[in-house]
Amino acid sequence: PIWHSYGNHCLYNLDRPTLQQRLGIPFREEEPHGEWVGYYDFCHQSTRFVVLDGYDIALMQRCPDTSLKHKQAREILQTQNPNMNEGNPNSPKGLEDLERRFVAFNGGVGQEQLKWLRNTLQDARELGQHVIVLSHNPIHPESSNPVCLIWNFQEVLDILRLYKDVVVASFSGHAHKGGYCRDEESGIHFRVVEAALENRPEKTYAMVDVYTDSRTNKSDDDSKRSASSPRLVLRGFGNCVSAVYDFEHTKTAVLNEC
């Protein structure tokens, strides 16, 4: 199966019900207000993939008259970005450093989603699973241009740090030039994958192979075999940089299949 996240360029053109219909994103109505949200998780063997919705709290494709999430997003931007009151909410003009994230082409993670994230990571810990976090917007301020960060990235980052024993890495997009950092506090890898949008005519994309144990793997020469530690192997194509990310910061544990 193919599982999708979604981002601002999707919302410029399509609403959430249409994205669900065309891409199969498992949106659901969040209680108690009934607004559509697109965060979910799925498992493959011993790895759990956690997909965050960085446009949970957002202006885009939320009804300005009835949506509580639109109202919350509007209040955040009116407070944090003076360009909002001048009719240009996508502009970071006058904002400095991390403040530049408060623009309308970003969004935030709501309290219900934060609670869900904590519960999901706790469940993964109890089951001895490794977790890979996926989101459109970057989470770590040192991984990319701060203008692309989730509004409340710190709340999300704090939760991930609490579960550094299970969270191996976070992969995101949105910042077209890409980026990477390894969080000094937790050891979690934060990789922003280079975008196809600004890398044409090259076909820029990546595939990640997940190796969760230290089994012996074939080398390029089939006559030779070598043991490898658990790792994520990102194979970059076009202008996407290839990389290998280890699991050294996580606990040694026997993993259970989902």
Side-chain angles (χ1 to χ4, degrees):
I2 297 176
W3 298 91
H4 293 277
S5 181
Y6 74 105
N8 54 309
H9 289 275
C10 302
L11 295 174
Y12 292 155
N13 298 283
L14 303 170
D15 60 17
R16 289 169 179 81
T18 305
L19 288 171
Q20 182 185 60
Q21 179 182 12
R22 296 190 180 184
L23 297 179
I25 298 174
F27 288 102
R28 59 186 176 81
E29 294 183 359
E30 186 180 75
E31 298 295 338
H33 43 72
E35 295 193 64
W36 281 43
V37 290
Y39 54 88
Y40 62 97
D41 68 301
F42 63 93
C43 296
H44 180 69
Q45 296 181 357
S46 59
T47 303
R48 182 176 297 210
F49 297 85
V50 174
V51 183
L52 300 181
D53 185 347
Y55 294 93
D56 178 356
I57 308 299
L59 295 182
M60 287 179 286
Q61 299 292 348
R62 298 285 191 200
C63 178
D65 298 322
T66 62
S67 170
L68 295 178
K69 291 179 180 292
H70 185 283
K71 178 182 178 182
Q72 187 176 352
R74 185 173 64 248
E75 291 174 348
I76 290 171
L77 291 176
Q78 286 174 338
T79 301
Q80 301 293 339
N81 188 344
N83 300 297
M84 174 71 175
N85 299 321
E86 297 176 2
N88 193 9
N90 279 321
S91 173
K93 182 179 178 181
L95 302 178
E96 297 182 357
D97 302 324
L98 294 179
E99 294 178 352
R100 292 170 58 81
R101 72 188 187 276
F102 291 110
V103 287
F105 56 75
N106 292 332
V109 173
Q111 292 303 308
E112 285 300 316
Q113 184 176 175
L114 292 173
K115 179 180 178 181
W116 170 86
L117 176 60
R118 285 190 292 269
N119 291 339
T120 301
L121 295 180
Q122 179 62 34
D123 187 54
R125 174 182 281 167
E126 293 172 1
L127 292 173
Q129 298 164 349
H130 286 135
V131 171
I132 296 174
V133 177
L134 306 170
S135 62
H136 181 73
N137 311 68
I139 296 170
H140 200 292
E142 297 177 12
S143 66
S144 67
N145 190 324
V147 78
C148 294
L149 288 167
I150 290 176
W151 290 340
N152 58 332
F153 74 86
Q154 191 64 59
E155 288 185 283
V156 179
L157 183 56
D158 287 345
I159 293 173
L160 298 186
R161 285 170 170 166
L162 290 174
Y163 292 90
K164 62 184 179 181
D165 54 309
V166 295
V167 179
V168 178
S170 164
F171 291 98
S172 60
H174 197 40
H176 296 174
K177 299 301 182 182
Y180 169 79
C181 78
R182 187 165 197 174
D183 183 43
E184 292 185 2
E185 180 174 331
S186 65
I188 298 171
H189 304 278
F190 289 85
R191 173 64 188 268
V192 181
V193 178
E194 293 82 349
L197 187 63
E198 294 185 12
N199 285 288
R200 293 176 289 184
E202 296 286 343
K203 293 182 178 179
T204 295
Y205 62 98
M207 300 184 70
V208 179
D209 300 313
V210 181
Y211 300 93
T212 57
D213 58 22
S214 298
R215 71 182 61 183
T216 301
N217 298 296
K218 287 186 177 182
S219 65
D220 292 336
D221 181 354
D222 286 347
S223 66
K224 298 178 181 179
R225 303 177 68 86
S226 60
S228 299
S229 299
R231 67 206 184 280
L232 305 178
V233 179
L234 187 147
R235 294 181 285 128
F237 298 86
N239 293 322
C240 183
V241 179
S242 297
V244 178
Y245 304 119
D246 62 55
F247 287 42
E248 290 180 1
H249 61 282
T250 62
K251 292 179 179 179
T252 302
V254 177
L255 302 180
N256 301 312
E257 291 193 1
C258 302

